Amino acid sequence: MLRRLILAATLCLTGSASAKPPAGGVFCSTYPSAPACTGQQPSCNYCHIAPPQRNVFGAGLEPHLAPGAARPLSDTDFAYALPTALEAVEMEDADGDGVPNLVELQRGTFPADATSVPVDSGGCQAGDNPQYDVCRYDARFAYKRLLLDFCGAPPTYAQRKEFNALSHDGQLARLDAELDRCTQSEFWRGKNGQLWKLAHPKIRPVGTFKAGPEDTGTNPLADYYDDYALYAYTQIDDHDAREVMTAKYYVRRESNPTRYTAVPSLPTQVLDEQYRAGNINSHWSILYFVMFSAMPRNAASQAYRAYLGLDIAKQEGLFSIPGEPRDYDHAGVTAPACAACHATLDPLTYPFRNFQGIYIYEPRSTWGSYVPNRLEKYFSYVSPIIGQTPEAGYLFGQKVNNLAEWAQVGANSDAFAIAAVTDYWKLLVGHPPTPEENAEFVATWKRFKGTHEYRVQRMLHDLIRTEAYGAP
């Protein structure tokens, strides 16, 4: 639930070219302690089914937004009127679930969804447990968990006995040492290890289309093991995690033991260095996500979802750009039911316009490459204005001139840090951050972005010290 509310998050944030009112920011200024505002801002789903169509909570707000004033309201007038409107409906129950709107806002449930109601868990019930200090951080519990999560095997009886005999500070130091040891293991960094599991949703491998010298499929397109190698490389050995989106290099993987090495080229990759943007436009990503399409919206939305944690299909991360969508390919995206999302998606897509997917009338060696004027050369039949599609687009309301700039803006964003830490939180804690865990989660991703300069290894030392990880 919290994920839906906060990681969709940047939906209504203001941007330099955004036409959306600054609803999220004003909401969080009004309710700074609301779970939906701890480190992020609520999604437009809070008030809308699909902008501009309001849900029951948004419909209840509307009459209180500067009543009598001409519509549409300017951003300034909207921002001024929203706190009063929110206050006016605090005691109402928009979704009829018996819980006032204000209580739902304060407890992190959804005031427009009758199935989303606060649940009183009664807090952590300690009880009697001779093994662990239940409900509080217990290094003994964290130790067992750490060895399972990072090394793939629980501690032996002798290891546990030795660990338990250590002082508290000694136990914490041992946890750090074991983390550093286990992240060198095959279980963590090897083929099909923990890091590869994290990469699965981003790469979306399909065995039939696997090319390359290893595990070749029946209809090989590209070697996505290169994508796994780059992802793993950026997550280990004090490397910068942002380079999964921005790297100008590739990564060679060697086995027994697994080693990852940055290299300037690979025989399975075709893109010139100046156009590279990490895994965003690897050979696999371009062929698989662009495929036969003229306007590669799927490639853009997949990159947005995989590396920035924002799913446009769920109305997450919408930054409407004035004048968009233009519908250069006559896909009907200006229809009212489509425009709300495509005003963000299409400007996200333009920087992908010159990356060639599968085009059967050209040599395979050109597939996955950067082709200037690609739309004009190969897709003029789609619409008479498709050649007017710009290469410059927008990400988070910020103009970007090409895909390399797109990747840089994305990699430096809060959304990237949040998405990266969420991946590890789900892997190690076992679920997305809950409202009760949100303070620790926010502190972790902020230190990952700030203090730790996007180094995953350093962030993991923080994560294993959280109560969410170490409290039985």
Side-chain angles (χ1 to χ4, degrees):
M1 179 63 196
L2 186 65
R3 169 83 177 173
R4 176 157 61 120
L5 297 180
I6 65 174
L7 291 187
T10 44
L11 184 58
C12 290
L13 294 175
T14 53
S16 59
S18 174
K20 287 290 182 187
V26 175
F27 178 92
C28 290
S29 296
T30 308
Y31 303 108
S33 61
C37 297
T38 310
Q40 279 290 338
Q41 296 182 0
S43 85
C44 284
N45 285 342
Y46 229 91
C47 296
H48 295 273
I49 297 171
Q53 186 180 5
R54 295 182 178 85
N55 60 30
V56 290
F57 180 65
L61 277 175
E62 206 284 333
H64 301 284
L65 281 167
R71 274 14 184 201
L73 296 175
S74 69
D75 283 6
T76 300
D77 290 342
F78 177 89
Y80 182 78
L82 183 56
T84 301
L86 287 166
E87 183 179 359
V89 301
E90 284 181 348
M91 294 300 110
E92 296 181 6
D93 178 13
D95 53 11
D97 59 5
V99 183
N101 295 333
L102 179 61
V103 175
E104 298 226 41
L105 301 180
Q106 293 172 331
R107 298 287 299 277
T109 55
F110 198 37
D113 182 355
T115 65
S116 173
V117 294
V119 176
D120 187 359
S121 64
C124 184
Q125 302 296 321
D128 295 325
N129 189 311
Q131 299 295 322
Y132 296 119
D133 188 3
V134 179
C135 296
R136 294 188 296 182
Y137 188 89
D138 188 327
R140 297 167 299 175
F141 178 77
Y143 177 60
K144 178 181 178 181
R145 195 172 192 178
L146 185 154
L147 262 61
L148 279 168
D149 289 338
F150 293 89
C151 271
T156 64
Y157 176 76
Q159 286 175 311
R160 292 181 64 178
K161 190 175 179 180
E162 180 192 3
F163 184 86
N164 292 345
L166 296 172
S167 66
H168 177 69
D169 289 344
Q171 289 180 340
L172 296 182
R174 178 65 62 85
L175 288 177
D176 287 332
E178 291 290 68
L179 173 62
D180 290 337
R181 179 179 69 85
C182 289
T183 50
Q184 299 291 322
S185 69
E186 289 295 303
F187 179 77
W188 184 255
R189 62 173 62 190
K191 179 183 177 183
N192 296 321
Q194 294 285 71
L195 290 179
W196 282 46
K197 290 178 183 176
L198 286 176
H200 287 337
K202 307 176 191 309
I203 296 168
R204 294 174 57 185
V206 180
T208 300
F209 299 141
K210 170 72 174 60
E214 187 179 359
D215 302 327
T216 307
T218 54
N219 297 294
L221 276 181
D223 190 353
Y224 49 70
Y225 283 177
D226 295 345
D227 299 58
Y228 283 97
L230 177 58
Y231 177 81
Y233 177 87
T234 61
Q235 309 299 298
I236 60 176
D237 299 339
D238 215 34
H239 297 146
D240 189 334
R242 292 173 295 180
E243 292 177 358
V244 71
M245 293 183 67
T246 62
K248 298 293 185 184
Y249 56 82
Y250 297 117
V251 172
R252 182 179 65 241
R253 176 175 59 93
E254 299 170 281
S255 302
N256 300 318
T258 299
R259 290 152 295 174
Y260 298 101
T261 307
V263 295
S265 63
L266 285 174
T268 46
Q269 299 291 328
V270 302
L271 204 57
D272 291 338
E273 181 178 339
Q274 63 179 312
Y275 301 116
R276 294 176 193 167
N279 277 352
I280 301 298
N281 61 2
S282 69
H283 199 215
W284 170 253
S285 291
I286 293 302
L287 265 58
Y288 187 63
F289 296 117
V290 175
M291 280 278 182
F292 307 98
S293 63
M295 195 70 73
R297 296 185 178 92
N298 191 38
S301 60
Q302 168 62 14
Y304 204 44
R305 177 173 50 242
Y307 297 102
L308 302 177
L310 299 168
D311 190 339
I312 289 178
K314 298 178 181 176
Q315 299 181 46
E316 297 173 354
L318 298 185
F319 284 80
S320 297
I321 303 302
E324 296 288 350
R326 295 288 302 278
D327 203 7
Y328 294 109
D329 59 342
H330 283 193
V333 296
T334 56
C338 305
C341 289
H342 281 272
T344 296
L345 175 56
D346 285 21
L348 279 178
T349 301
Y350 300 151
F352 290 80
R353 79 183 296 281
N354 286 333
F355 291 93
Q356 184 73 297
I358 300 172
Y359 195 81
I360 60 175
Y361 300 111
E362 290 289 342
R364 286 194 61 140
S365 60
T366 68
W367 298 2
S369 62
Y370 181 90
V371 179
N373 300 318
R374 165 179 167 268
L375 296 180
E376 294 85 339
K377 288 181 180 177
Y378 302 114
F379 295 97
S380 59
Y381 64 89
V382 171
S383 91
I385 63 169
I386 196 166
Q388 298 176 23
T389 306
E391 185 169 11
Y394 288 86
L395 177 62
F396 301 142
Q398 179 177 336
K399 186 176 181 179
V400 291
N401 290 311
N402 50 52
L403 191 56
E405 288 187 15
W406 192 107
Q408 287 286 346
V409 171
N412 289 322
S413 68
D414 286 353
F416 175 83
I418 291 168
V421 174
T422 298
D423 284 344
Y424 286 96
W425 196 278
K426 291 164 67 175
L427 175 71
L428 301 172
V429 177
H431 52 72
T434 65
E436 292 77 15
E437 296 165 349
N438 206 40
E440 286 187 320
F441 172 72
V442 171
T444 303
W445 77 254
K446 286 192 171 182
R447 281 174 55 83
F448 172 61
K449 181 177 180 180
T451 305
H452 299 323
E453 299 177 312
Y454 299 93
R455 268 59 179 180
V456 167
Q457 187 75 14
R458 303 180 200 175
M459 179 274 293
L460 290 174
H461 283 277
D462 283 352
L463 202 158
I464 64 169
R465 296 287 178 84
T466 62
E467 191 169 284
Y469 187 75

